[in-house]
Amino acid sequence: MSIDSLEKGAGALYPWTVVPGVASAALKAELREKIDASAPKAADNRREALSATLSIAPLSSVNWLSLSGMQLVTDQPMEQVLESLELSMVTGPNEGYVMADRGIFGVSLWESLPPELKRRVAVDLAVGEVTVVWNGKFKAVLSAKSEPVRNELRAALLATGLLPQEVERRLGF
């Protein structure tokens, strides 16, 4: 059976989500199916599928970040959102492709972050892979923040060792 045929029949894969060795692949296929679902509980379903995937493969920083986002979207307690964000930082502290998105997400939550997570978000922004798309997303999130928050973020970025001109060039302020 090919991967394509597995993905097309993802709903039939549910029984395989508990079988060692194939559970992670089955849960990923199920997750793709739930993302595409138009059911009113699609976000809850996706959050649950991410949780199940992480119970099998807990070292996926990108999945922890996705779970954090789904927890926010589904109105889970902020404590849970921040715990998942922190687990993304712990499991993938130097994964550039995740750091940039994690940094942007962290800025969107900036006012709710404790000081240590603010420092880590600043490091993610300073070190993460900057692309044109990333920069556009960052500027959109940043534009919704108040002047005091932008100033605090600028100070946090400078504390990572970025030069003032680098902060301005890279992040637009």
Side-chain angles (χ1 to χ4, degrees):
M1 183 177 276
S2 73
I3 295 294
D4 289 335
S5 63
L6 283 175
E7 289 177 358
K8 289 176 185 168
L13 292 175
Y14 180 76
W16 294 100
T17 62
V18 294
V19 177
V22 295
S24 182
L27 283 166
K28 285 178 186 176
E30 184 181 359
L31 180 58
R32 278 191 292 278
E33 179 182 83
K34 289 179 178 184
I35 290 170
D36 296 334
S38 59
K41 298 191 98 192
D44 284 330
N45 291 341
R46 182 162 190 231
R47 187 188 76 239
E48 291 169 10
L50 278 165
S51 292
T53 300
L54 285 163
S55 71
I56 295 167
L59 297 179
S60 173
S61 62
V62 71
N63 281 346
W64 281 114
L65 178 59
S66 295
L67 178 61
S68 183
M70 283 293 97
Q71 289 169 328
L72 182 65
V73 168
T74 58
D75 296 321
Q76 300 305 301
M78 185 56 69
E79 182 178 290
Q80 285 182 6
V81 173
L82 297 180
E83 285 174 2
S84 296
L85 176 61
E86 187 170 16
L87 283 167
S88 176
M89 293 171 175
V90 168
T91 58
N94 301 314
E95 295 175 348
Y97 66 97
V98 178
M99 292 173 79
D101 285 336
R102 193 170 52 217
I104 293 169
F105 182 66
V107 169
S108 73
L109 303 172
W110 190 264
E111 296 87 345
S112 300
L113 297 178
E116 177 58 20
L117 283 184
K118 285 182 179 181
R119 187 191 66 73
R120 287 178 165 185
V121 165
V123 169
D124 281 350
L125 291 172
V127 178
E129 295 176 8
V130 177
T131 65
V132 172
V133 171
W134 178 90
N135 211 10
K137 287 179 188 178
F138 178 74
K139 287 179 180 177
V141 170
L142 191 60
S143 69
K145 297 300 177 183
S146 67
E147 189 67 28
V149 169
R150 288 194 297 263
N151 289 336
E152 183 182 0
L153 180 58
R154 185 176 196 284
L157 289 169
L158 290 170
T160 68
L162 284 179
L163 298 173
Q165 58 269 33
E166 179 65 14
V167 171
E168 186 175 322
R169 182 189 68 75
R170 199 170 206 212
L171 305 175
F173 68 94

